[in-house]
Amino acid sequence: MKSRRDFLQKLTLSAVSIPLMPAYGTKSFAAYAGESYQGTMLRVAIMGLGSYGTRVADAMKDSKKAKLVGVVSGTPSKVKEWQSKYGIPEKNCYNYENFDAIKDNPDIDAVYIITPNGLHHDQTLRVAKAGKHVICEKPMGINAKECREMVEACRKANVKLLVGYRMRLEPNTLEIVRMRKDGELGKIMFFQGLSGFRIGDPTQWRLDKKLAGGGAMMDIGIYAVNGSRYMVGEDPVWVTAQETKTDPVKFKDGVDETIQFQFGFPSGAVASCLSTYSMNNLDRFFLNGEKGFAELHPATGYGPIKGRTHKGELNKPHVTHQTLQMDRMAEIILEGKEPELPLDGEEGLKDLIIIDAIYKAVKSGKKETIEI
């Protein structure tokens, strides 16, 4: 298995087959399909035309409020392929050297950055300077310092900075959040987040410290970090962490293979999480409260997401995550709407503050304070 994209794709293909029609929240497929939208569309250029960029582009074919209109890529052959496949005009095609000129293109509203982690910071600053809204894949940057600069650049440019937190829009996930908020689980006591798979090709960018910013934590582990926050409903205040490395040739210095980490939250709740590149079958969230529990397994794949609680199975309709994400982001940017769980750059910054603390705890062997 080569990457997290492959891992999440495998989860999708191995899950029970359900029609992949997009749906909002608890609305039925029929209700969503029957809705019409005559308003302004968010016009998006995708930067980075790899496998996930393709997944987003394909999902946007079903979007009601967002459409693909441009591309940014360093590979001319991919640009030509996308022009043909998605009907993208030549004037909306850029490479990594000239995309600053996008500022003079009134037909593009936002740029979705889907490139290696180590490139997000500089690319976000350039897109913001060009006056376009930024959608950035997670992790937003490779450390909190970068993320603060990204947030500030977008604030100064008066553009939105959103992060591709698709799971924060997933219906079964949001049902658990609702149950927690409504007190149906009682006082939250414990969260467990398991995120991992066996990574393949040792030459890929995800195992390059400069491009990835780390290893498994910066790829699959961020799901457990972010998930702990929206499942518990709080930000952690301390962390302890332990790293295990069995293959120092494949996982070079600064590229983590496996990290176990534990959080403490202001309410007294605790979390136990694992991030790894060396074990399969790890995609599970478990939330335990004084009155009940909730579980997602798989918790972060492309779907269908499966869940259950002490009240029974969760059966919200499957959502094409990227279709829903792009429509929701269009509402945020164009209509000023706010999602149930925020998707903004401040959330991306919080995750990197936490990840910085995890790496610090690995090195110190001590409990480290998290200051968000």
Side-chain angles (χ1 to χ4, degrees):
M1 190 168 292
K2 294 182 179 180
S3 71
R4 168 168 55 95
R5 311 294 189 206
D6 299 320
F7 166 70
L8 297 174
Q9 171 70 7
K10 184 176 181 180
L11 284 176
T12 301
L13 294 175
S14 64
V16 177
S17 177
I18 295 178
L20 302 184
M21 290 184 65
Y24 281 125
T26 59
K27 290 183 179 179
S28 69
F29 294 135
Y32 178 76
E35 291 178 353
S36 62
Y37 177 72
Q38 304 298 324
T40 303
M41 298 281 284
L42 180 69
R43 300 165 299 175
V44 180
I46 289 181
M47 179 184 293
L49 311 185
S51 61
Y52 193 69
T54 300
R55 176 174 288 276
V56 172
D58 288 342
M60 286 179 69
K61 292 177 180 178
D62 295 322
S63 292
K64 294 180 179 297
K65 298 186 177 184
K67 63 179 179 179
L68 175 64
V69 299
V71 294
V72 182
S73 174
T75 307
S77 60
K78 284 187 178 181
V79 173
K80 291 298 183 184
E81 178 186 341
W82 278 51
Q83 280 188 270
S84 175
K85 184 176 181 180
Y86 301 108
I88 298 170
E90 183 69 32
K91 66 182 181 65
N92 291 352
C93 297
Y94 301 87
N95 58 44
Y96 295 120
E97 286 70 45
N98 68 14
F99 77 81
D100 304 278
I102 206 168
K103 68 174 186 259
D104 299 317
N105 191 333
D107 296 332
I108 296 174
D109 303 311
V111 177
Y112 194 160
I113 298 172
I114 311 177
T115 56
N117 309 335
L119 306 179
H120 292 176
H121 171 268
D122 290 350
Q123 291 169 343
T124 292
L125 267 55
R126 289 173 66 183
V127 172
K129 188 176 181 181
K132 305 299 180 181
H133 299 291
V134 179
I135 302 170
C136 186
E137 257 311 303
K138 58 192 175 299
M140 193 172 86
I142 63 172
N143 54 50
K145 179 179 182 294
E146 281 197 353
C147 292
R148 288 190 181 94
E149 292 172 357
M150 294 162 73
V151 169
E152 181 63 15
C154 290
R155 185 193 65 79
K156 286 184 176 179
N158 196 32
V159 297
K160 294 283 189 183
L161 172 56
L162 303 177
V163 186
Y165 288 129
R166 58 187 172 82
M167 301 317 303
R168 287 177 167 240
L169 300 168
E170 196 278 320
N172 286 310
T173 301
L174 290 180
E175 176 60 13
I176 293 175
V177 171
R178 182 203 64 76
M179 291 177 67
R180 188 249 304 155
K181 288 183 175 180
D182 288 351
E184 294 179 28
L185 303 176
K187 177 179 171 60
I188 300 301
M189 306 298 293
F190 174 73
F191 171 79
Q192 181 186 53
L194 305 178
S195 300
F197 65 93
R198 291 184 63 87
I199 198 166
D201 181 9
T203 67
Q204 64 180 284
W205 70 261
R206 289 177 178 82
L207 297 176
D208 182 323
K209 174 66 162 60
K210 184 177 180 181
L211 288 175
M217 181 61 63
M218 298 296 289
D219 182 24
I220 195 71
I222 192 170
Y223 281 96
V225 171
N226 193 261
S228 72
R229 296 174 52 228
Y230 60 71
M231 295 286 275
V232 174
E234 301 179 79
D235 293 326
V237 293
W238 60 257
V239 61
T240 54
Q242 307 81 36
E243 180 177 6
T244 302
K245 187 170 291 192
T246 65
D247 188 346
V249 175
K250 188 173 187 177
F251 303 101
K252 297 178 176 59
D253 186 45
V255 179
D256 49 284
E257 178 183 351
T258 299
I259 294 179
Q260 299 174 75
F261 54 102
Q262 303 80 39
F263 291 143
F265 296 87
S267 65
V270 293
S272 177
C273 303
L274 181 134
S275 163
T276 185
Y277 266 162
S278 62
M279 290 177 268
N280 286 330
N281 309 309
L282 292 174
D283 183 23
R284 178 177 181 264
F285 287 175
F286 180 80
L287 186 67
N288 199 34
E290 289 185 330
K291 295 181 181 179
F293 74 90
E295 179 183 35
L296 292 172
H297 186 206
T300 63
Y302 293 140
I305 298 301
K306 297 295 182 180
R308 66 188 181 100
T309 75
H310 60 287
K311 294 185 174 182
E313 299 293 319
L314 293 174
N315 295 304
K316 299 298 181 184
H318 174 65
V319 178
T320 302
H321 297 172
Q322 295 77 14
T323 303
L324 175 55
Q325 176 188 305
M326 296 312 300
D327 278 347
R328 282 291 195 246
M329 287 184 167
E331 292 175 350
I332 294 169
I333 292 172
L334 300 178
E335 303 173 36
K337 292 186 178 180
E338 293 297 333
E340 179 69 23
L341 295 172
L343 309 171
D344 55 65
E346 292 290 346
E347 293 299 307
L349 169 59
K350 288 178 182 179
D351 278 349
L352 267 297
I353 290 173
I354 295 168
I355 289 175
D356 283 353
I358 291 172
Y359 283 134
K360 184 178 180 182
V362 164
K363 290 182 178 180
S364 72
K366 300 176 181 179
K367 179 187 290 187
E368 298 292 344
T369 300
I370 301 173
E371 297 180 1
I372 294 179

